[in-house]
Amino acid sequence: MTETEQPTQAGQAAAPSAEGAGATVDEATSQAVARLGATRDEVVVEVLSRGGARPVPGEYLTSTQARVRVSLIDQHTARGRQLLAGLLEKMEIPARVSVRRGTSPRAGETEAPMILEVSGDDLGLLIGWRGETLRALQTTLNLMMGDEEAEGISRRLILDVERYRARREEQVRELAQRLADRVKASGERYTLDPMHAYERRIIHLTLQDDPGVRTESSGQEPARRVVIHPTGPAQGGPTARPDRGRGRW
Amino acid sequence: MTDYADLTRFITEHIVANKSAVNVSAVPRGRTTIVEVSVADEDMGKVIGKGGRNIEAIRAVVRAAGLRKHERVQVELADGGRHA
């Protein structure tokens, strides 16, 4: 291998990896992939630094380099990627499929799951209303992989299109924090609108270490909702105001 | 035109155990393309899924392929009335 070979991190699968640097993430990835002696289809890209502003012609701008680490992906994920690329081709939707590692592990697991990421132009139709088509695509792909519930959640592949899921997760985390502040200030519980299981899970995880609130899900699917309860009396403060309605949720 | 029958066959053959029993045909009905799928009896449960979850996902994927071309596509599973 090369001089850039990295010692594997504790708790991570021992996949060969290499780092690369460049003006953009794309250039850094090209370099890292070349150093690993692999192709882009065979690696997961971890962005260590996105790099600063690109230099503008005629001006001086200090810009930091983009840095990435690429690691060879496991066979299961590689097969999923290939199958998804084949499916998109049959759908006649020009798009690329890349692999990235998620930000947080699922329940009962130590490692963050791999996410198959679809990118391209005008892919809204692959996302659908509130992500419905994205979920259908994910269900279909996992069915095609031959993974039913019996094999456990850990082998289920997760899909994202144009970072929809990533953006949505961020929104839900922010919402959870905002509502927790409100619940603590008012001392009154708050019931959210119905959400999908994975979104409810984000709320529970976001607030699990906040001693001021506790969360639970109630009701039956598909109308199951998260309720945020205060654990103490109202603390007051600027957010202690009457509920102005449920807003978007 | 996207080959919706080919797309549906690609998905279905990866799901079922008995690939040779998969039959897919596309027929126009008005402005909609109907994709008719039949699979072996023992594969019906897997293709339909709990509460129809799987077949609904397949339908959504094929429908999405049609959306790009502004074409309406509907997947129908031949079930001999057993799974109505």
Side-chain angles (χ1 to χ4, degrees):
Chain A
M1 207 59 67
T2 69
E3 73 282 2
T4 56
E5 190 173 350
Q6 296 295 308
T8 52
Q9 292 173 338
Q12 299 257 330
S17 65
E19 285 188 19
T24 62
V25 168
D26 196 58
E27 283 179 35
T29 306
S30 295
Q31 191 189 58
V33 164
R35 281 181 174 165
L36 194 58
T39 66
R40 282 188 182 226
D41 289 347
E42 299 167 329
V43 298
V44 55
V45 180
E46 185 189 346
V47 177
L48 302 172
S49 161
R50 291 210 166 267
R54 304 229 47 197
V56 176
E59 288 180 39
Y60 286 105
L61 267 182
T62 48
S63 63
T64 54
Q65 284 207 308
R67 290 195 308 117
V68 302
R69 178 185 297 128
V70 302
S71 316
L72 286 179
I73 55 180
D74 63 283
Q75 270 191 328
H76 183 72
T77 310
R79 185 170 164 256
R81 175 196 191 139
Q82 207 173 22
L83 209 48
L84 179 58
L87 186 59
L88 292 169
E89 200 182 311
K90 297 265 185 206
M91 292 173 80
E92 294 190 1
I93 293 174
R96 288 181 308 280
V97 184
S98 54
V99 180
R100 74 179 155 89
R101 193 174 280 285
T103 47
S104 59
R106 287 180 281 209
E109 292 175 24
T110 53
E111 218 173 89
M114 294 290 208
I115 296 171
L116 296 175
E117 201 164 58
V118 182
S119 55
D121 292 331
D122 201 16
L123 295 181
L125 64 91
L126 282 185
I127 297 170
W129 186 76
R130 284 209 176 176
E132 277 190 357
T133 309
L134 170 58
R135 278 188 292 278
L137 201 59
Q138 177 172 304
T139 300
T140 302
L141 180 69
N142 279 291
L143 265 175
M144 292 169 73
M145 293 289 289
D147 282 356
E148 293 242 80
E149 293 83 356
E151 287 213 44
I153 192 171
S154 64
R155 288 181 57 87
R156 269 185 71 83
L157 294 170
I158 299 178
L159 247 63
D160 202 353
V161 174
E162 289 292 311
R163 300 191 69 80
Y164 171 83
R165 195 181 284 274
R167 291 192 312 251
R168 179 88 184 120
E169 269 180 36
E170 192 48 46
Q171 281 175 6
V172 173
R173 265 196 293 273
E174 283 171 14
L175 174 79
Q177 242 126 31
R178 206 163 59 235
L179 293 178
D181 287 345
R182 191 201 282 196
V183 165
K184 282 183 278 187
S186 69
E188 284 169 25
R189 71 171 184 212
Y190 188 95
T191 306
L192 282 88
D193 277 356
M195 285 180 161
H196 283 279
Y198 86 95
E199 292 182 347
R200 292 198 305 267
R201 198 171 156 266
I202 296 167
I203 305 246
H204 294 309
L205 284 177
T206 305
L207 300 180
Q208 68 182 0
D209 294 326
D210 187 335
V213 293
R214 79 184 161 80
T215 60
E216 63 172 6
S217 292
S218 72
Q220 296 298 309
E221 301 280 10
R224 205 161 158 76
R225 304 153 176 261
V226 176
V227 185
I228 305 174
H229 296 271
T231 52
Q235 294 168 11
T239 50
R241 56 173 188 258
D243 193 338
R244 295 178 305 178
R246 289 254 157 73
R248 296 175 53 201
W249 309 95
Chain B
M1 182 179 136
T2 308
D3 192 338
Y4 300 109
D6 188 47
L7 167 64
T8 308
R9 185 179 299 107
F10 178 72
I11 296 172
T12 312
E13 285 188 348
H14 274 93
I15 296 174
V16 300
N18 187 350
K19 285 185 180 33
S20 59
V22 173
N23 259 300
V24 182
S25 58
V27 289
R29 186 192 295 164
R31 290 169 53 203
T32 305
T33 300
I34 307 289
V35 179
E36 290 177 343
V37 185
S38 64
V39 302
D41 279 355
E42 69 263 29
D43 284 320
M44 284 298 274
K46 197 166 183 201
V47 172
I48 294 170
K50 202 193 289 175
R53 185 171 176 268
N54 297 354
I55 186 67
E56 281 311 320
I58 296 165
R59 283 186 175 128
V61 169
V62 178
R63 206 164 43 228
L67 274 179
R68 195 172 185 89
K69 310 269 172 71
H70 305 287
E71 289 169 347
R72 257 184 276 172
V73 197
Q74 196 176 316
V75 173
E76 285 181 4
L77 188 61
D79 59 8
R82 281 160 301 165
H83 297 272

